[in-house]
Amino acid sequence: MFRAVVRLSTAGTRGLVRTRPSCSAPLASRCFSHGKVETDEEFDSRWVTYFSKPDIDAWELKKGMNTLIGYDLVPEPKILDSALRACRRLNDLASAIRILEAVRDKAGPHKDIYPYLIQELKPTLTELGISTPEELGIDKL
Amino acid sequence: MSLPKPVMRGLLAKRLRFHLPIAFSLAIVAAVAFKFGVTEPRKKAYADFYKNYDSVKEFNAMREAGIFESVRPSVK
């Protein structure tokens, strides 16, 4: 997304800002006219696969999460499910709860996203025994 | 009651698409307003002051007022 911001701010003239090409394929796609733009489904399955690696290590988990949080999107429940299972494989409850905090923060002012995610992830959270930050009382300052 | 799926992608892009043009235009308006509200009147004030400025007359007035050390008030 910074790419778009840089383009807009170095446009120089306001006219360019108004009439910029409608490159509204967001998230990780680079806005070039050549080459295939990855679809949302391809993006999601790529990340589900990343976290599904059976012998994923702690570094890869952290790196994956940090990269994922850098995108202009809130991760889909299926990506988060895969990430939480990776935390389970690594015996990392702290990271699992941190992931929930991170996606809540990622949603920003859009307060309807986090409850939806928890709703979708409830079976996984119950199965893996992961408490939400709200249940632990650590969601308030 | 299960929640419907909200929009989860491109939220920042949407926000910037709305706010960036406003930000840029406000910045430009501020710059233009400053130029025409402050710098142009200031430049005009200086230009008007110096249009019919007689430096010799002003110097003599200052001289008579006795503020200089290099020249004394004229002996009259």
Side-chain angles (χ1 to χ4, degrees), chain B residues 18-67:
Chain B
F18 177 72
H19 283 97
L20 266 184
I22 296 177
F24 273 87
S25 44
L26 277 181
I28 290 172
V29 163
V32 168
F34 190 83
K35 180 181 175 68
F36 288 108
V38 178
T39 61
E40 287 303 316
R42 204 174 271 178
K43 279 156 67 177
K44 183 170 185 304
Y46 272 86
D48 291 344
F49 179 82
Y50 283 107
K51 191 148 63 119
N52 299 316
Y53 184 71
D54 183 354
S55 51
V56 176
K57 171 164 157 263
E58 296 297 327
F59 165 73
N60 284 321
M62 287 188 240
R63 175 187 181 173
E64 299 312 318
I67 61 154

mmCIF file of all heavy atoms in Angstrom, chain B residues 18-67:
data_model
loop_
_atom_site.group_PDB
_atom_site.id
_atom_site.type_symbol
_atom_site.label_atom_id
_atom_site.label_comp_id
_atom_site.label_asym_id
_atom_site.label_seq_id
_atom_site.Cartn_x
_atom_site.Cartn_y
_atom_site.Cartn_z
ATOM 1 N N PHE B 18 -10.049 8.243 0.155
ATOM 2 C CA PHE B 18 -10.932 9.319 0.569
ATOM 3 C C PHE B 18 -10.149 10.485 1.157
ATOM 4 O O PHE B 18 -10.380 11.645 0.807
ATOM 5 C CB PHE B 18 -11.926 8.783 1.601
ATOM 6 C CG PHE B 18 -12.841 9.813 2.152
ATOM 7 C CD1 PHE B 18 -13.850 10.331 1.367
ATOM 8 C CD2 PHE B 18 -12.694 10.285 3.444
ATOM 9 C CE1 PHE B 18 -14.709 11.302 1.877
ATOM 10 C CE2 PHE B 18 -13.548 11.246 3.950
ATOM 11 C CZ PHE B 18 -14.553 11.754 3.169
ATOM 12 N N HIS B 19 -9.200 10.198 2.027
ATOM 13 C CA HIS B 19 -8.577 11.264 2.797
ATOM 14 C C HIS B 19 -7.402 11.935 2.109
ATOM 15 O O HIS B 19 -7.124 13.100 2.372
ATOM 16 C CB HIS B 19 -8.109 10.716 4.152
ATOM 17 C CG HIS B 19 -9.227 10.534 5.132
ATOM 18 N ND1 HIS B 19 -9.847 9.337 5.347
ATOM 19 C CD2 HIS B 19 -9.838 11.425 5.936
ATOM 20 C CE1 HIS B 19 -10.797 9.497 6.257
ATOM 21 N NE2 HIS B 19 -10.824 10.746 6.639
ATOM 22 N N LEU B 20 -6.670 11.232 1.256
ATOM 23 C CA LEU B 20 -5.490 11.851 0.649
ATOM 24 C C LEU B 20 -5.816 13.048 -0.240
ATOM 25 O O LEU B 20 -5.163 14.088 -0.129
ATOM 26 C CB LEU B 20 -4.682 10.808 -0.137
ATOM 27 C CG LEU B 20 -3.564 10.157 0.647
ATOM 28 C CD1 LEU B 20 -2.778 9.218 -0.238
ATOM 29 C CD2 LEU B 20 -2.635 11.198 1.222
ATOM 30 N N PRO B 21 -6.813 12.924 -1.138
ATOM 31 C CA PRO B 21 -7.135 14.130 -1.917
ATOM 32 C C PRO B 21 -7.518 15.304 -1.023
ATOM 33 O O PRO B 21 -7.134 16.445 -1.283
ATOM 34 C CB PRO B 21 -8.306 13.680 -2.794
ATOM 35 C CG PRO B 21 -8.146 12.222 -2.924
ATOM 36 C CD PRO B 21 -7.596 11.768 -1.624
ATOM 37 N N ILE B 22 -8.268 15.006 0.042
ATOM 38 C CA ILE B 22 -8.642 16.083 0.961
ATOM 39 C C ILE B 22 -7.396 16.680 1.599
ATOM 40 O O ILE B 22 -7.252 17.906 1.679
ATOM 41 C CB ILE B 22 -9.585 15.541 2.056
ATOM 42 C CG1 ILE B 22 -10.889 15.065 1.433
ATOM 43 C CG2 ILE B 22 -9.837 16.588 3.112
ATOM 44 C CD1 ILE B 22 -11.843 14.449 2.404
ATOM 45 N N ALA B 23 -6.480 15.798 2.030
ATOM 46 C CA ALA B 23 -5.265 16.286 2.689
ATOM 47 C C ALA B 23 -4.450 17.159 1.750
ATOM 48 O O ALA B 23 -4.005 18.249 2.113
ATOM 49 C CB ALA B 23 -4.436 15.092 3.170
ATOM 50 N N PHE B 24 -4.259 16.653 0.528
ATOM 51 C CA PHE B 24 -3.473 17.425 -0.426
ATOM 52 C C PHE B 24 -4.133 18.753 -0.749
ATOM 53 O O PHE B 24 -3.473 19.795 -0.822
ATOM 54 C CB PHE B 24 -3.255 16.619 -1.714
ATOM 55 C CG PHE B 24 -2.059 15.732 -1.653
ATOM 56 C CD1 PHE B 24 -2.150 14.450 -1.140
ATOM 57 C CD2 PHE B 24 -0.828 16.191 -2.082
ATOM 58 C CE1 PHE B 24 -1.027 13.646 -1.073
ATOM 59 C CE2 PHE B 24 0.295 15.391 -2.019
ATOM 60 C CZ PHE B 24 0.201 14.117 -1.507
ATOM 61 N N SER B 25 -5.458 18.724 -0.941
ATOM 62 C CA SER B 25 -6.091 19.990 -1.327
ATOM 63 C C SER B 25 -6.091 20.968 -0.168
ATOM 64 O O SER B 25 -5.891 22.168 -0.374
ATOM 65 C CB SER B 25 -7.504 19.759 -1.854
ATOM 66 O OG SER B 25 -8.196 18.862 -1.052
ATOM 67 N N LEU B 26 -6.268 20.469 1.051
ATOM 68 C CA LEU B 26 -6.201 21.365 2.198
ATOM 69 C C LEU B 26 -4.816 21.984 2.327
ATOM 70 O O LEU B 26 -4.672 23.174 2.625
ATOM 71 C CB LEU B 26 -6.547 20.617 3.488
ATOM 72 C CG LEU B 26 -8.035 20.457 3.798
ATOM 73 C CD1 LEU B 26 -8.203 19.718 5.109
ATOM 74 C CD2 LEU B 26 -8.721 21.793 3.862
ATOM 75 N N ALA B 27 -3.782 21.153 2.083
ATOM 76 C CA ALA B 27 -2.424 21.680 2.174
ATOM 77 C C ALA B 27 -2.192 22.768 1.122
ATOM 78 O O ALA B 27 -1.609 23.816 1.406
ATOM 79 C CB ALA B 27 -1.415 20.537 1.985
ATOM 80 N N ILE B 28 -2.685 22.506 -0.075
ATOM 81 C CA ILE B 28 -2.503 23.494 -1.140
ATOM 82 C C ILE B 28 -3.289 24.761 -0.833
ATOM 83 O O ILE B 28 -2.807 25.877 -1.030
ATOM 84 C CB ILE B 28 -2.908 22.881 -2.491
ATOM 85 C CG1 ILE B 28 -1.886 21.824 -2.896
ATOM 86 C CG2 ILE B 28 -3.032 23.944 -3.558
ATOM 87 C CD1 ILE B 28 -2.266 21.023 -4.107
ATOM 88 N N VAL B 29 -4.522 24.583 -0.332
ATOM 89 C CA VAL B 29 -5.317 25.755 0.038
ATOM 90 C C VAL B 29 -4.602 26.564 1.112
ATOM 91 O O VAL B 29 -4.551 27.796 1.058
ATOM 92 C CB VAL B 29 -6.716 25.311 0.517
ATOM 93 C CG1 VAL B 29 -7.404 26.423 1.270
ATOM 94 C CG2 VAL B 29 -7.554 24.874 -0.659
ATOM 95 N N ALA B 30 -4.014 25.862 2.087
ATOM 96 C CA ALA B 30 -3.297 26.566 3.148
ATOM 97 C C ALA B 30 -2.132 27.359 2.565
ATOM 98 O O ALA B 30 -1.907 28.523 2.927
ATOM 99 C CB ALA B 30 -2.798 25.571 4.199
ATOM 100 N N ALA B 31 -1.402 26.736 1.636
ATOM 101 C CA ALA B 31 -0.256 27.429 1.051
ATOM 102 C C ALA B 31 -0.713 28.646 0.253
ATOM 103 O O ALA B 31 -0.134 29.732 0.354
ATOM 104 C CB ALA B 31 0.519 26.467 0.149
ATOM 105 N N VAL B 32 -1.769 28.477 -0.539
ATOM 106 C CA VAL B 32 -2.261 29.586 -1.358
ATOM 107 C C VAL B 32 -2.793 30.705 -0.465
ATOM 108 O O VAL B 32 -2.544 31.898 -0.708
ATOM 109 C CB VAL B 32 -3.337 29.079 -2.326
ATOM 110 C CG1 VAL B 32 -4.061 30.220 -2.980
ATOM 111 C CG2 VAL B 32 -2.718 28.182 -3.374
ATOM 112 N N ALA B 33 -3.517 30.292 0.594
ATOM 113 C CA ALA B 33 -4.063 31.312 1.503
ATOM 114 C C ALA B 33 -2.943 32.089 2.161
ATOM 115 O O ALA B 33 -3.020 33.318 2.305
ATOM 116 C CB ALA B 33 -4.935 30.638 2.557
ATOM 117 N N PHE B 34 -1.865 31.394 2.560
ATOM 118 C CA PHE B 34 -0.752 32.086 3.185
ATOM 119 C C PHE B 34 -0.101 33.045 2.191
ATOM 120 O O PHE B 34 0.247 34.176 2.528
ATOM 121 C CB PHE B 34 0.272 31.078 3.710
ATOM 122 C CG PHE B 34 1.327 31.698 4.575
ATOM 123 C CD1 PHE B 34 1.083 31.932 5.914
ATOM 124 C CD2 PHE B 34 2.559 32.049 4.057
ATOM 125 C CE1 PHE B 34 2.042 32.512 6.723
ATOM 126 C CE2 PHE B 34 3.526 32.628 4.858
ATOM 127 C CZ PHE B 34 3.265 32.858 6.200
ATOM 128 N N LYS B 35 0.061 32.559 0.944
ATOM 129 C CA LYS B 35 0.691 33.409 -0.057
ATOM 130 C C LYS B 35 -0.092 34.694 -0.250
ATOM 131 O O LYS B 35 0.468 35.788 -0.237
ATOM 132 C CB LYS B 35 0.801 32.664 -1.386
ATOM 133 C CG LYS B 35 1.460 33.487 -2.478
ATOM 134 C CD LYS B 35 1.540 32.727 -3.784
ATOM 135 C CE LYS B 35 2.087 33.599 -4.899
ATOM 136 N NZ LYS B 35 3.493 33.947 -4.726
ATOM 137 N N PHE B 36 -1.418 34.548 -0.413
ATOM 138 C CA PHE B 36 -2.201 35.745 -0.730
ATOM 139 C C PHE B 36 -2.655 36.505 0.501
ATOM 140 O O PHE B 36 -3.023 37.662 0.403
ATOM 141 C CB PHE B 36 -3.392 35.364 -1.598
ATOM 142 C CG PHE B 36 -2.969 34.994 -2.984
ATOM 143 C CD1 PHE B 36 -3.009 33.678 -3.412
ATOM 144 C CD2 PHE B 36 -2.480 35.956 -3.846
ATOM 145 C CE1 PHE B 36 -2.582 33.342 -4.688
ATOM 146 C CE2 PHE B 36 -2.057 35.626 -5.116
ATOM 147 C CZ PHE B 36 -2.104 34.321 -5.531
ATOM 148 N N GLY B 37 -2.616 35.838 1.660
ATOM 149 C CA GLY B 37 -3.030 36.540 2.865
ATOM 150 C C GLY B 37 -1.886 37.198 3.592
ATOM 151 O O GLY B 37 -2.070 38.187 4.288
ATOM 152 N N VAL B 38 -0.678 36.645 3.414
ATOM 153 C CA VAL B 38 0.455 37.148 4.191
ATOM 154 C C VAL B 38 1.562 37.680 3.290
ATOM 155 O O VAL B 38 1.936 38.852 3.383
ATOM 156 C CB VAL B 38 1.001 36.037 5.114
ATOM 157 C CG1 VAL B 38 2.199 36.530 5.882
ATOM 158 C CG2 VAL B 38 -0.079 35.563 6.063
ATOM 159 N N THR B 39 2.106 36.820 2.427
ATOM 160 C CA THR B 39 3.319 37.247 1.725
ATOM 161 C C THR B 39 3.037 38.340 0.714
ATOM 162 O O THR B 39 3.811 39.303 0.610
ATOM 163 C CB THR B 39 4.006 36.071 1.019
ATOM 164 O OG1 THR B 39 3.106 35.538 0.056
ATOM 165 C CG2 THR B 39 4.389 34.997 1.996
ATOM 166 N N GLU B 40 1.934 38.245 -0.021
ATOM 167 C CA GLU B 40 1.671 39.303 -1.006
ATOM 168 C C GLU B 40 1.400 40.654 -0.353
ATOM 169 O O GLU B 40 1.975 41.668 -0.764
ATOM 170 C CB GLU B 40 0.532 38.892 -1.942
ATOM 171 C CG GLU B 40 0.928 37.799 -2.952
ATOM 172 C CD GLU B 40 2.103 38.199 -3.808
ATOM 173 O OE1 GLU B 40 2.143 39.344 -4.299
ATOM 174 O OE2 GLU B 40 3.026 37.382 -3.958
ATOM 175 N N PRO B 41 0.527 40.727 0.682
ATOM 176 C CA PRO B 41 0.374 42.029 1.365
ATOM 177 C C PRO B 41 1.683 42.546 1.931
ATOM 178 O O PRO B 41 1.952 43.751 1.905
ATOM 179 C CB PRO B 41 -0.626 41.708 2.489
ATOM 180 C CG PRO B 41 -1.383 40.547 1.997
ATOM 181 C CD PRO B 41 -0.426 39.743 1.163
ATOM 182 N N ARG B 42 2.500 41.626 2.443
ATOM 183 C CA ARG B 42 3.782 42.057 3.011
ATOM 184 C C ARG B 42 4.673 42.658 1.933
ATOM 185 O O ARG B 42 5.286 43.715 2.121
ATOM 186 C CB ARG B 42 4.441 40.838 3.655
ATOM 187 C CG ARG B 42 5.430 41.161 4.732
ATOM 188 C CD ARG B 42 5.906 39.893 5.401
ATOM 189 N NE ARG B 42 5.045 39.539 6.517
ATOM 190 C CZ ARG B 42 5.228 38.443 7.257
ATOM 191 N NH1 ARG B 42 6.187 37.599 6.960
ATOM 192 N NH2 ARG B 42 4.441 38.187 8.266
ATOM 193 N N LYS B 43 4.739 41.947 0.799
ATOM 194 C CA LYS B 43 5.557 42.469 -0.292
ATOM 195 C C LYS B 43 5.032 43.820 -0.758
ATOM 196 O O LYS B 43 5.790 44.750 -1.042
ATOM 197 C CB LYS B 43 5.561 41.466 -1.461
ATOM 198 C CG LYS B 43 6.538 40.328 -1.262
ATOM 199 C CD LYS B 43 6.179 39.091 -2.039
ATOM 200 C CE LYS B 43 6.296 39.299 -3.524
ATOM 201 N NZ LYS B 43 6.008 38.046 -4.256
ATOM 202 N N LYS B 44 3.703 43.940 -0.818
ATOM 203 C CA LYS B 44 3.123 45.208 -1.258
ATOM 204 C C LYS B 44 3.446 46.314 -0.268
ATOM 205 O O LYS B 44 3.756 47.448 -0.661
ATOM 206 C CB LYS B 44 1.608 45.026 -1.408
ATOM 207 C CG LYS B 44 0.914 46.255 -1.934
ATOM 208 C CD LYS B 44 -0.530 45.964 -2.292
ATOM 209 C CE LYS B 44 -1.166 47.168 -2.933
ATOM 210 N NZ LYS B 44 -1.065 48.369 -2.076
ATOM 211 N N ALA B 45 3.379 45.979 1.017
ATOM 212 C CA ALA B 45 3.668 47.006 2.029
ATOM 213 C C ALA B 45 5.088 47.528 1.858
ATOM 214 O O ALA B 45 5.333 48.743 1.907
ATOM 215 C CB ALA B 45 3.460 46.427 3.428
ATOM 216 N N TYR B 46 6.011 46.629 1.649
ATOM 217 C CA TYR B 46 7.396 47.062 1.440
ATOM 218 C C TYR B 46 7.521 47.883 0.167
ATOM 219 O O TYR B 46 8.182 48.938 0.142
ATOM 220 C CB TYR B 46 8.336 45.843 1.372
ATOM 221 C CG TYR B 46 8.853 45.386 2.709
ATOM 222 C CD1 TYR B 46 8.122 44.510 3.501
ATOM 223 C CD2 TYR B 46 10.075 45.843 3.188
ATOM 224 C CE1 TYR B 46 8.595 44.094 4.722
ATOM 225 C CE2 TYR B 46 10.556 45.431 4.412
ATOM 226 C CZ TYR B 46 9.817 44.572 5.180
ATOM 227 O OH TYR B 46 10.286 44.167 6.400
ATOM 228 N N ALA B 47 6.896 47.400 -0.906
ATOM 229 C CA ALA B 47 6.990 48.114 -2.187
ATOM 230 C C ALA B 47 6.413 49.517 -2.044
ATOM 231 O O ALA B 47 7.011 50.497 -2.510
ATOM 232 C CB ALA B 47 6.263 47.331 -3.268
ATOM 233 N N ASP B 48 5.235 49.594 -1.383
ATOM 234 C CA ASP B 48 4.624 50.922 -1.212
ATOM 235 C C ASP B 48 5.501 51.835 -0.383
ATOM 236 O O ASP B 48 5.622 53.028 -0.645
ATOM 237 C CB ASP B 48 3.252 50.776 -0.533
ATOM 238 C CG ASP B 48 2.244 50.120 -1.449
ATOM 239 O OD1 ASP B 48 2.519 50.062 -2.663
ATOM 240 O OD2 ASP B 48 1.200 49.651 -0.959
ATOM 241 N N PHE B 49 6.113 51.267 0.656
ATOM 242 C CA PHE B 49 6.948 52.094 1.522
ATOM 243 C C PHE B 49 8.123 52.679 0.746
ATOM 244 O O PHE B 49 8.469 53.856 0.889
ATOM 245 C CB PHE B 49 7.446 51.245 2.694
ATOM 246 C CG PHE B 49 8.332 51.972 3.648
ATOM 247 C CD1 PHE B 49 7.797 52.770 4.649
ATOM 248 C CD2 PHE B 49 9.718 51.890 3.542
ATOM 249 C CE1 PHE B 49 8.617 53.451 5.531
ATOM 250 C CE2 PHE B 49 10.545 52.573 4.424
ATOM 251 C CZ PHE B 49 9.995 53.357 5.429
ATOM 252 N N TYR B 50 8.732 51.843 -0.071
ATOM 253 C CA TYR B 50 9.948 52.285 -0.741
ATOM 254 C C TYR B 50 9.693 52.966 -2.080
ATOM 255 O O TYR B 50 10.620 53.464 -2.705
ATOM 256 C CB TYR B 50 10.912 51.103 -0.928
ATOM 257 C CG TYR B 50 11.621 50.755 0.345
ATOM 258 C CD1 TYR B 50 11.296 49.615 1.058
ATOM 259 C CD2 TYR B 50 12.597 51.612 0.872
ATOM 260 C CE1 TYR B 50 11.943 49.311 2.238
ATOM 261 C CE2 TYR B 50 13.231 51.320 2.054
ATOM 262 C CZ TYR B 50 12.906 50.175 2.742
ATOM 263 O OH TYR B 50 13.530 49.883 3.914
ATOM 264 N N LYS B 51 8.417 53.022 -2.518
ATOM 265 C CA LYS B 51 8.154 53.622 -3.839
ATOM 266 C C LYS B 51 8.590 55.071 -3.868
ATOM 267 O O LYS B 51 9.259 55.507 -4.784
ATOM 268 C CB LYS B 51 6.667 53.474 -4.163
ATOM 269 C CG LYS B 51 6.331 53.814 -5.594
ATOM 270 C CD LYS B 51 5.167 52.994 -6.105
ATOM 271 C CE LYS B 51 3.958 53.353 -5.276
ATOM 272 N NZ LYS B 51 2.858 53.903 -5.967
ATOM 273 N N ASN B 52 8.182 55.843 -2.859
ATOM 274 C CA ASN B 52 8.547 57.265 -2.847
ATOM 275 C C ASN B 52 9.447 57.583 -1.672
ATOM 276 O O ASN B 52 9.338 58.630 -1.045
ATOM 277 C CB ASN B 52 7.259 58.112 -2.767
ATOM 278 C CG ASN B 52 6.383 57.862 -3.971
ATOM 279 O OD1 ASN B 52 6.876 57.811 -5.094
ATOM 280 N ND2 ASN B 52 5.090 57.692 -3.747
ATOM 281 N N TYR B 53 10.329 56.650 -1.369
ATOM 282 C CA TYR B 53 11.198 56.823 -0.215
ATOM 283 C C TYR B 53 12.366 57.732 -0.580
ATOM 284 O O TYR B 53 13.095 57.494 -1.531
ATOM 285 C CB TYR B 53 11.713 55.452 0.229
ATOM 286 C CG TYR B 53 12.549 55.448 1.482
ATOM 287 C CD1 TYR B 53 11.975 55.678 2.735
ATOM 288 C CD2 TYR B 53 13.923 55.211 1.418
ATOM 289 C CE1 TYR B 53 12.743 55.660 3.887
ATOM 290 C CE2 TYR B 53 14.691 55.192 2.569
ATOM 291 C CZ TYR B 53 14.097 55.412 3.802
ATOM 292 O OH TYR B 53 14.851 55.382 4.943
ATOM 293 N N ASP B 54 12.549 58.800 0.191
ATOM 294 C CA ASP B 54 13.664 59.697 -0.041
ATOM 295 C C ASP B 54 14.693 59.422 1.040
ATOM 296 O O ASP B 54 14.550 59.887 2.182
ATOM 297 C CB ASP B 54 13.175 61.148 0.014
ATOM 298 C CG ASP B 54 14.270 62.134 -0.303
ATOM 299 O OD1 ASP B 54 15.442 61.696 -0.455
ATOM 300 O OD2 ASP B 54 13.972 63.327 -0.411
ATOM 301 N N SER B 55 15.753 58.700 0.689
ATOM 302 C CA SER B 55 16.691 58.262 1.725
ATOM 303 C C SER B 55 17.492 59.428 2.284
ATOM 304 O O SER B 55 17.822 59.463 3.472
ATOM 305 C CB SER B 55 17.628 57.183 1.172
ATOM 306 O OG SER B 55 18.210 57.615 -0.029
ATOM 307 N N VAL B 56 17.757 60.416 1.410
ATOM 308 C CA VAL B 56 18.543 61.562 1.896
ATOM 309 C C VAL B 56 17.737 62.348 2.921
ATOM 310 O O VAL B 56 18.258 62.756 3.975
ATOM 311 C CB VAL B 56 18.956 62.455 0.710
ATOM 312 C CG1 VAL B 56 19.679 63.677 1.208
ATOM 313 C CG2 VAL B 56 19.822 61.665 -0.240
ATOM 314 N N LYS B 57 16.460 62.543 2.618
ATOM 315 C CA LYS B 57 15.602 63.288 3.550
ATOM 316 C C LYS B 57 15.533 62.569 4.878
ATOM 317 O O LYS B 57 15.648 63.181 5.948
ATOM 318 C CB LYS B 57 14.210 63.416 2.927
ATOM 319 C CG LYS B 57 13.138 63.969 3.827
ATOM 320 C CD LYS B 57 11.937 64.395 2.977
ATOM 321 C CE LYS B 57 10.690 64.399 3.821
ATOM 322 N NZ LYS B 57 9.864 63.215 3.726
ATOM 323 N N GLU B 58 15.373 61.229 4.801
ATOM 324 C CA GLU B 58 15.285 60.451 6.035
ATOM 325 C C GLU B 58 16.606 60.530 6.807
ATOM 326 O O GLU B 58 16.631 60.639 8.031
ATOM 327 C CB GLU B 58 14.951 58.989 5.717
ATOM 328 C CG GLU B 58 13.589 58.778 5.081
ATOM 329 C CD GLU B 58 12.450 59.187 5.977
ATOM 330 O OE1 GLU B 58 12.584 59.032 7.214
ATOM 331 O OE2 GLU B 58 11.437 59.662 5.462
ATOM 332 N N PHE B 59 17.715 60.505 6.045
ATOM 333 C CA PHE B 59 19.017 60.573 6.705
ATOM 334 C C PHE B 59 19.150 61.897 7.449
ATOM 335 O O PHE B 59 19.586 61.947 8.597
ATOM 336 C CB PHE B 59 20.138 60.422 5.678
ATOM 337 C CG PHE B 59 21.480 60.833 6.206
ATOM 338 C CD1 PHE B 59 22.149 60.043 7.121
ATOM 339 C CD2 PHE B 59 22.059 62.042 5.815
ATOM 340 C CE1 PHE B 59 23.379 60.435 7.624
ATOM 341 C CE2 PHE B 59 23.290 62.421 6.312
ATOM 342 C CZ PHE B 59 23.965 61.640 7.221
ATOM 343 N N ASN B 60 18.776 62.982 6.780
ATOM 344 C CA ASN B 60 18.898 64.287 7.424
ATOM 345 C C ASN B 60 18.023 64.398 8.653
ATOM 346 O O ASN B 60 18.424 64.992 9.661
ATOM 347 C CB ASN B 60 18.567 65.403 6.435
ATOM 348 C CG ASN B 60 19.715 65.606 5.472
ATOM 349 O OD1 ASN B 60 20.877 65.534 5.877
ATOM 350 N ND2 ASN B 60 19.410 65.852 4.211
ATOM 351 N N ALA B 61 16.821 63.819 8.564
ATOM 352 C CA ALA B 61 15.938 63.842 9.739
ATOM 353 C C ALA B 61 16.605 63.119 10.903
ATOM 354 O O ALA B 61 16.602 63.590 12.045
ATOM 355 C CB ALA B 61 14.601 63.193 9.390
ATOM 356 N N MET B 62 17.214 61.961 10.595
ATOM 357 C CA MET B 62 17.895 61.205 11.654
ATOM 358 C C MET B 62 19.089 61.973 12.184
ATOM 359 O O MET B 62 19.377 61.984 13.380
ATOM 360 C CB MET B 62 18.362 59.852 11.106
ATOM 361 C CG MET B 62 17.261 58.856 10.874
ATOM 362 S SD MET B 62 17.921 57.245 10.469
ATOM 363 C CE MET B 62 17.218 57.005 8.861
ATOM 364 N N ARG B 63 19.768 62.664 11.241
ATOM 365 C CA ARG B 63 20.960 63.418 11.647
ATOM 366 C C ARG B 63 20.589 64.513 12.633
ATOM 367 O O ARG B 63 21.246 64.699 13.653
ATOM 368 C CB ARG B 63 21.604 63.999 10.401
ATOM 369 C CG ARG B 63 22.785 64.907 10.690
ATOM 370 C CD ARG B 63 23.230 65.560 9.404
ATOM 371 N NE ARG B 63 24.379 66.425 9.633
ATOM 372 C CZ ARG B 63 25.064 67.022 8.656
ATOM 373 N NH1 ARG B 63 24.701 66.815 7.399
ATOM 374 N NH2 ARG B 63 26.078 67.794 8.944
ATOM 375 N N GLU B 64 19.500 65.239 12.287
ATOM 376 C CA GLU B 64 19.063 66.305 13.173
ATOM 377 C C GLU B 64 18.635 65.758 14.515
ATOM 378 O O GLU B 64 18.764 66.426 15.542
ATOM 379 C CB GLU B 64 17.906 67.101 12.546
ATOM 380 C CG GLU B 64 18.237 67.785 11.235
ATOM 381 C CD GLU B 64 19.544 68.559 11.277
ATOM 382 O OE1 GLU B 64 19.810 69.249 12.299
ATOM 383 O OE2 GLU B 64 20.324 68.476 10.321
ATOM 384 N N ALA B 65 18.084 64.517 14.495
ATOM 385 C CA ALA B 65 17.653 63.936 15.772
ATOM 386 C C ALA B 65 18.828 63.577 16.656
ATOM 387 O O ALA B 65 18.653 63.284 17.843
ATOM 388 C CB ALA B 65 16.795 62.692 15.506
ATOM 389 N N GLY B 66 20.057 63.606 16.058
ATOM 390 C CA GLY B 66 21.252 63.410 16.859
ATOM 391 C C GLY B 66 21.561 61.979 17.211
ATOM 392 O O GLY B 66 22.233 61.704 18.197
ATOM 393 N N ILE B 67 21.068 61.030 16.401
ATOM 394 C CA ILE B 67 21.306 59.634 16.764
ATOM 395 C C ILE B 67 22.618 59.112 16.212
ATOM 396 O O ILE B 67 23.063 58.020 16.566
ATOM 397 C CB ILE B 67 20.175 58.732 16.257
ATOM 398 C CG1 ILE B 67 20.073 58.799 14.724
ATOM 399 C CG2 ILE B 67 18.861 59.100 16.912
ATOM 400 C CD1 ILE B 67 19.483 57.557 14.141
#
